[in-house]
Amino acid sequence: LRQLIIGFTLSCLATGAVIAQEISPQTLTQAASLRDTALQSDIAWDVLESLTTEVGPRMAGSPADAKAVAWGQAKLTSLGFDKVWTEAVTVPVWRCLHESAYIESPFAQPLTIAALGGSVSTPKGGLKAEIIHFNSYEDLVASPANSAKGKIVYISNKMERHPSGRGYGQAGPARFMGPAEAAKKGAIALVIRSVGTDSQRSPHTGMTNYEDGVKKIPAAALSNPDADQMDRILNRNKNITLSLNIVTETAKDTVSYNVIGEITGSEHPEQIVAIGGHLDSWDQGTGAVDDGAGIAITVAAAKLIAQQQRPKRTIRVVMFAAEEIGVFGGNQYALVHKDELKNHIIGAESDGGAGNVLALSSNVGRQSLHAIDAMLALMAPLNVVRSDRVSGGSADFGPMVKAGMPAVGLEQDHSEYFDIHHTPDDTLNKVHPDQLAQNVAAWAIFVKIAADWEGHFDR
Ligand SMILES: [Zn+2]
């Protein structure tokens, strides 16, 4: 602890004229104790086990989503949160009823696919066409107009495995924007290699974004081994004919809810440390790592802090609605709490799975950098280091951060996350209890210091 305090003094001096508000020794001692308690605590695991078992898959706007909302309220209440409430969010309702693909020639055989989120249906009975192959989304963009006329575009690039998850940014555009781009080139459908790093026959879904004024074409992802198969066939014969049958349904918009629970602050109840994850999941798995883990980690951190001593500021946990299909809960939250923006002292979302926290990023002002240093010092035994990234607050807090809310990011190990992200394999047995506990320990340190320190993080 002494070393920590010396460290703070030095970093305060280093920030020059900025006057830094000190963190009390008691807060630091309590945060260290919380860390050690969190590593032994089962709260997060129990919350995650409960959500994935009692609710399971919970696609936004589905009957299971309504069950998840009821589950969230009951869980926060039973854990002793001081206030628990819901806020309505209007969400679109999309469902996949059927998805299949078949190589007609040259080597007839079935393929395993998942329709991309939001995909339109193929014509009744399916469609059949030759494919045109592109190595990447960028190659598709660079191709001449009408280059894919009447064909099924196939994009084949593989996602890189990396702890930072950077491969998602590189391979992701094929899913995010591929269908719209393929339609611009005259294609009648799109198939992509899954945006995922596994070798299982488990295709990865995820939202795609059609463009206004561009024809909506059906789109699906092949599992990685199916994409390998396509590539081997392409090496022998460029002329592959594929049939594709996708049946989806878009129902009338419905109402889902952000579920919110608070531990009321003892000295500054109006000041909020906002944390959370998203409650919805894709339809195939049980949403254990995406994002049941984020819900469990943040609920557990708040609960452990409350158990030790009432925080000075209010800790607010938000279970966001409908993130996967377009950040509807996050956008609604920013709208509803616009006037409360300045009371949001800092915010952070856990939405990167259940792997260990590796690094801490932030976007805070210079006068509060020593508070981030203090968090990092306490997180050192957890092997958390300073990130060189600036935190954007993750998807759901993105709109609040854009409006000016300070944020931190607890960046998780993504080495294995994209093996199961958005697949039927996103289930509880992929979560390591010790890694989940490491997350809670890191979050407890961050939230404790943010809630009890008297200073401000203002950018
Ligand atoms: Zn997520």
Side-chain angles (χ1 to χ4, degrees):
L1 188 64
R2 176 190 284 265
Q3 265 179 336
L4 296 184
I5 293 165
I6 293 167
F8 305 150
T9 314
L10 288 176
S11 68
C12 296
L13 290 174
T15 59
V18 183
I19 296 167
Q21 177 75 47
E22 273 184 51
I23 302 169
S24 81
Q26 193 203 13
T27 299
L28 295 171
T29 309
Q30 288 181 327
S33 162
L34 278 167
R35 174 194 63 209
D36 300 341
T37 306
L39 290 174
Q40 304 298 325
S41 166
D42 293 329
I43 297 174
W45 178 266
D46 291 345
V47 168
L48 183 56
E49 194 266 354
S50 169
L51 174 62
T52 53
T53 305
E54 296 158 27
V55 181
R58 44 197 183 278
M59 187 81 186
S62 69
D65 183 34
K67 277 190 212 164
V69 168
W71 172 91
Q73 292 175 86
K75 189 59 68 182
L76 291 168
T77 304
S78 74
L79 286 169
F81 278 68
D82 298 309
K83 290 183 201 159
V84 178
W85 73 97
T86 58
E87 292 174 356
V89 182
T90 301
V91 301
V93 181
W94 176 89
R95 274 197 302 174
C96 180
L97 303 172
H98 177 84
E99 54 210 346
S100 62
Y102 198 85
I103 296 176
E104 299 285 345
S105 67
F107 307 126
Q109 56 192 286
L111 296 170
T112 307
I113 61 163
L116 298 188
S119 174
V120 295
S121 300
T122 52
K124 207 172 162 113
L127 57 79
K128 194 193 298 187
E130 259 187 42
I131 70 155
I132 175 168
H133 172 225
F134 294 94
N135 285 313
S136 66
Y137 170 76
E138 290 70 25
D139 283 5
L140 170 63
V141 173
S143 73
N146 281 330
S147 58
K149 194 166 173 56
K151 294 184 176 174
I152 299 171
V153 164
Y154 166 53
I155 303 176
S156 66
N157 58 315
K158 290 183 186 172
M159 180 177 167
E160 178 199 10
R161 183 187 296 279
H162 192 273
S164 71
R166 67 187 181 197
Y168 194 57
Q170 290 154 3
R175 191 192 89 211
F176 312 146
M177 301 171 290
E181 198 58 36
K184 288 181 201 166
K185 311 292 182 181
I188 60 168
L190 170 91
V191 292
I192 61 169
R193 175 186 283 274
S194 276
V195 182
T197 48
D198 64 299
S199 57
Q200 307 306 118
R201 219 168 180 187
S202 282
H204 298 239
T205 188
M207 202 60 194
T208 192
N209 304 299
Y210 290 117
E211 259 178 54
D212 287 343
V214 177
K215 189 171 161 40
K216 295 181 178 182
I217 61 170
L222 293 164
S223 80
N224 270 314
D226 286 272
D228 294 342
Q229 185 79 323
M230 285 276 278
D231 295 347
R232 279 190 298 269
I233 297 173
L234 278 167
N235 280 337
R236 290 168 165 81
N237 185 341
K238 297 272 173 248
N239 303 312
I240 297 180
T241 301
L242 203 69
S243 64
L244 196 62
N245 192 0
I246 294 173
V247 184
T248 62
E249 189 179 74
T250 302
K252 230 173 62 192
D253 286 2
T254 188
V255 178
S256 184
Y257 297 89
N258 287 334
V259 181
I260 304 176
E262 278 188 356
I263 309 287
T264 309
S266 59
E267 289 184 22
H268 310 288
E270 77 293 352
Q271 297 182 8
I272 299 156
V273 176
I275 58 175
H278 66 83
L279 191 53
D280 66 313
S281 79
W282 281 104
D283 46 354
Q284 293 177 304
T286 61
V289 304
D290 189 9
D291 182 30
I295 297 281
I297 290 161
T298 52
V299 166
K303 169 69 181 170
L304 287 171
I305 291 168
Q307 257 174 13
Q308 185 190 49
Q309 186 189 79
R310 181 169 290 280
K312 291 180 180 168
R313 288 171 168 146
T314 290
I315 299 172
R316 179 180 287 178
V317 179
V318 187
M319 301 180 180
F320 288 99
E323 188 272 346
E324 294 292 3
I325 59 168
V327 197
F328 288 88
N331 284 317
Q332 181 70 9
Y333 183 89
L335 200 68
V336 170
H337 297 278
K338 195 168 47 157
D339 296 336
E340 223 183 5
L341 176 66
K342 66 174 189 323
N343 284 336
H344 282 72
I345 297 301
I346 198 160
E349 179 176 24
S350 173
D351 184 20
N356 279 335
V357 176
L358 299 180
L360 178 72
S361 62
S362 75
N363 69 355
V364 302
R366 284 180 62 201
Q367 83 292 348
S368 61
L369 282 175
H370 68 294
I372 301 296
D373 291 345
M375 293 172 193
L376 279 164
L378 287 166
M379 290 179 197
L382 304 172
N383 297 316
V384 178
V385 300
R386 187 188 311 277
S387 167
D388 49 17
R389 288 194 263 192
V390 175
S391 178
S394 191
D396 290 301
F397 278 127
M400 288 291 283
V401 173
K402 222 171 157 190
M405 181 177 77
V408 306
L410 288 115
E411 298 170 3
Q412 289 160 292
D413 186 351
H414 283 156
S415 301
E416 293 173 6
Y417 180 55
F418 290 102
D419 286 348
I420 56 172
H421 181 249
H422 298 179
T423 75
D425 282 319
D426 180 357
T427 52
L428 186 63
N429 65 342
K430 309 308 184 303
V431 177
H432 304 284
D434 54 331
Q435 295 179 2
L436 194 68
Q438 189 263 10
N439 273 267
V440 179
W443 277 82
I445 291 165
F446 150 59
V447 177
K448 172 69 182 176
I449 290 178
D452 279 12
W453 174 51
E454 293 285 340
H456 286 261
F457 293 97
D458 299 354
R459 285 140 71 179

